[in-house]
Amino acid sequence: MTLLIRGGTVVTHDTTFCADVLCEDGTIIAVGPDLDAPADAEIVDAKGQYVMPGGIDPHTHMQMPFMGATASEDFYTGTAAALAGGTTMIIDFVIPNPGQSLIEAYRTWRGWAEKAAADYSFHVAVTWWADSVAEEMGTLVREYGVNSFKHFMAYKNALMATDDILVESFTRCLELGAVPNVHAENGDLVAHLQQKLLAQGITGPEAHPLSRPPQVEGEAAGRAIRIAGTLGAPVYLVHVSTKDALDEITTARASGQVVFGEVLAGHLLLDDSVYQNEDWATAAAYVMSPPFRPKGHQEALWNGLRSGNLQTTATDHCCFCAEQKAMGRDDFTKIPNGTAGVEDRMALLWDAGVNAGKLSMQEFVAVTSTNTAKIFNLYPRKGAVSVGSDADLVVWDPHGKRNLSAKTHHQNIDFNIFEGLEVTGIPRHTISRGKLVWSDGELRAESGAGRYVDRPPYPGLYDSLRKRNELATPKAVVR
Ligand SMILES: [Zn+2]
């Protein structure tokens, strides 16, 4: 099937030009002025609009079992909401229980994801260590298209990876050519502060940010970065929410270390005053980790994006409805952690970034799509508007307006953390694998239309790292 996007302005991470874009059988087959299309081709009028690579959200948790609940958004509803927001691919997380086979867990998540409406891929978490874990990591990289492994430095006695696990796993990642990801929060400190707050009788959501202050993230970020630096491995920090962690990244990058940082739309836009809401359910709806931060951190994170020290934006989309959040009514540590956003990220980044003069249009494309594609070795299949790339595109209306609200969003959750915010700049059309799936407010998402995307190891990154590590290898003194 053929689709022609006519008369728009193409914006990529490095250039802007007027061109039509012709898609056939899921692939972009021509980009240029005044393209002809077969008589039966579907035509999308993009006059006055921008044609950009579809968004890639590198951090979502659809249908995740967590803290005694299961995320309310499944792979169909979640990817459909993503498409309505101009995001055409997600990278979700396989999270094996400690002791569980990584491949068994991977198969479970692959099964859940079969109904996805948009393309998807998986990071796999390392939550425990044994020789069999190292072996399965190899199988996942070689045979299952996984090139990134996630490590939770938080969630003590549950998912937490202690330093010994980080050392083993980062070393293995380096051998395999995979990128280690970390959730940087000091789990021991969090557990200690949680107990202290509960003992003081502070049991509501206002205790959540107090149990995870900025230095808890800064310490863990610094530790993960130094472990990776010592081993000569790269490291990718998910949801960087503080100036403390950003400073660690900035210093390490300035010294030549390969460190990547991701920031969530929520952390760029919201602050910790949300936890002071007198309505328990409203305050609890914002409980996610790391928490929203005191004023001042948001500006630092924007500067991180602009300076290139943070490269990607995500949502950590993990939906729990009011009745699930209520599990923590008497104890904030039992409130399922997570907030939504997969549908809103692109519009938020455009409105608060491009419209506010904080990001150029090219930078917008870089931080919402292309940089993720590059770091996780999807580029130029994804994140590009060029011949041969997947036809995953968004036609962006810079004048369109939308009021963000749980009443109108497509996300399967009864709350929107950006409720009432009006954004200017919205996806008018979304094209997924060459098909028009969102058009003028009409969602045509199709269960099962999304495909699993293999991400092989990234030679461009690892060849230079290996060379660097080899040159730095010490030699024994000959005696
Ligand atoms: Zn997450």
Side-chain angles (χ1 to χ4, degrees):
M1 76 161 271
T2 309
L3 181 139
L4 177 67
I5 306 170
R6 184 176 271 163
T9 301
V10 173
V11 182
T12 70
H13 71 287
D14 62 356
T15 185
T16 303
F17 54 97
C18 293
D20 298 345
V21 180
L22 187 62
C23 312
E24 196 174 85
D25 298 331
T27 306
I28 297 173
I29 59 162
V31 181
D34 306 318
L35 296 179
D36 290 324
D40 62 346
E42 188 164 14
I43 308 288
V44 174
D45 178 14
K47 215 164 166 34
Q49 309 194 41
Y50 299 115
V51 182
M52 306 188 285
I56 306 173
D57 190 332
H59 192 156
T60 66
H61 301 278
M62 306 303 173
Q63 209 168 326
M64 181 168 76
F66 189 47
M67 296 179 73
T70 297
S72 58
E73 190 91 280
D74 66 25
F75 278 88
Y76 169 65
T77 61
T79 50
L83 292 171
T87 287
T88 51
M89 179 172 175
I90 60 167
I91 312 181
D92 206 277
F93 293 84
V94 171
I95 306 185
N97 293 318
Q100 189 189 10
S101 150
L102 275 60
I103 289 173
E104 178 187 279
Y106 171 89
R107 292 207 172 106
T108 301
W109 258 266
R110 282 291 301 269
W112 290 339
E114 271 175 19
K115 58 186 163 192
D119 283 5
Y120 56 93
S121 192
F122 286 109
H123 310 284
V124 176
V126 173
T127 56
W128 62 294
W129 194 257
D131 290 346
S132 65
V133 173
E135 235 169 80
E136 291 199 327
M137 288 169 75
T139 307
L140 286 164
V141 170
R142 286 187 296 266
E143 297 173 30
Y144 295 89
V146 173
N147 72 11
S148 50
F149 293 92
K150 165 88 171 276
H151 308 79
F152 294 93
M153 296 171 79
Y155 307 118
K156 189 176 180 178
N157 300 326
L159 303 170
M160 187 165 102
T162 45
D163 288 358
D164 53 332
I165 297 179
L166 300 183
V167 171
E168 295 281 10
S169 182
F170 287 13
T171 304
R172 183 64 173 145
C173 284
L174 185 61
E175 274 171 17
L176 295 168
V179 184
N181 294 6
V182 295
H183 168 141
E185 284 187 301
N186 184 315
D188 290 309
L189 271 174
V190 172
H192 171 79
L193 293 172
Q194 285 178 332
Q195 292 316 310
K196 193 173 151 191
L197 286 153
L198 288 173
Q200 289 169 340
I202 309 173
T203 60
E206 68 278 11
H208 178 67
L210 301 175
S211 70
R212 320 178 90 97
Q215 57 268 41
V216 162
E217 182 183 338
E219 185 281 326
R223 182 156 39 99
I225 289 170
R226 284 170 182 77
I227 291 172
T230 305
L231 299 170
V235 66
Y236 176 100
L237 279 76
V238 302
H239 51 42
V240 175
S241 72
T242 56
K243 181 171 184 308
D244 309 57
L246 173 61
D247 287 347
E248 297 286 349
I249 294 172
T250 305
T251 305
R253 286 174 63 87
S255 72
Q257 205 181 318
V258 180
V259 181
F260 303 109
E262 165 195 287
V263 61
L264 308 184
H267 286 134
L268 286 166
L269 288 157
L270 302 174
D271 64 61
D272 62 354
S273 60
V274 296
Y275 301 112
Q276 298 298 322
N277 199 298
E278 284 176 6
D279 178 52
W280 187 92
T282 304
Y286 290 92
V287 168
M288 62 93 57
S289 297
F292 299 109
R293 299 301 191 179
K295 280 200 168 58
H297 289 277
Q298 300 76 31
E299 202 52 41
L301 296 173
W302 279 111
N303 290 337
L305 266 186
R306 299 170 74 181
S307 63
N309 286 309
L310 301 175
Q311 300 79 32
T312 66
T313 59
T315 58
D316 203 354
H317 185 85
C318 187
C319 294
F320 295 106
C321 292
E323 68 189 59
Q324 296 175 298
K325 292 271 182 180
M327 287 165 54
R329 186 84 215 184
D330 303 318
D331 176 351
F332 72 96
T333 67
K334 298 198 166 69
I335 302 171
N337 281 213
T339 55
V342 76
E343 183 174 357
D344 300 330
R345 177 184 64 120
M346 299 285 279
L348 290 164
L349 263 292
W350 184 275
D351 188 66
V354 178
N355 291 349
K358 288 182 173 147
L359 298 174
S360 69
M361 292 196 293
Q362 288 83 7
E363 286 167 334
F364 169 84
V365 171
V367 304
T368 57
S369 180
T370 310
N371 289 351
T372 290
K374 287 183 178 176
I375 293 168
F376 295 109
N377 202 22
L378 296 160
Y379 184 82
R381 177 174 173 188
K382 304 287 188 189
V385 185
S386 46
V387 173
S389 295
D390 284 356
D392 279 5
L393 299 158
V394 61
V395 178
W396 198 262
D397 175 358
H399 305 297
K401 288 187 193 300
R402 190 157 81 86
N403 199 292
L404 305 184
S405 173
K407 292 187 197 83
T408 50
H409 71 201
H410 299 80
Q411 301 170 136
N412 191 26
I413 181 172
D414 53 5
F415 195 87
N416 189 312
I417 57 171
F418 307 105
E419 184 73 34
L421 191 71
E422 189 179 76
V423 290
T424 302
I426 57 167
R428 181 64 61 191
H429 307 282
T430 306
I431 291 106
S432 170
R433 287 193 171 256
K435 271 193 179 166
L436 193 57
V437 288
W438 167 254
S439 185
D440 278 324
E442 186 201 336
L443 185 57
R444 305 179 192 170
E446 197 185 311
S447 178
R451 294 275 184 283
Y452 176 74
V453 181
D454 269 319
R455 295 179 296 118
Y458 186 4
L461 172 65
Y462 278 87
D463 287 352
S464 67
L465 271 174
R466 283 203 189 92
K467 183 97 198 161
R468 193 195 292 190
N469 291 339
E470 198 181 289
L471 291 171
T473 302
K475 309 264 179 306
V477 177
V478 183
R479 294 192 172 88

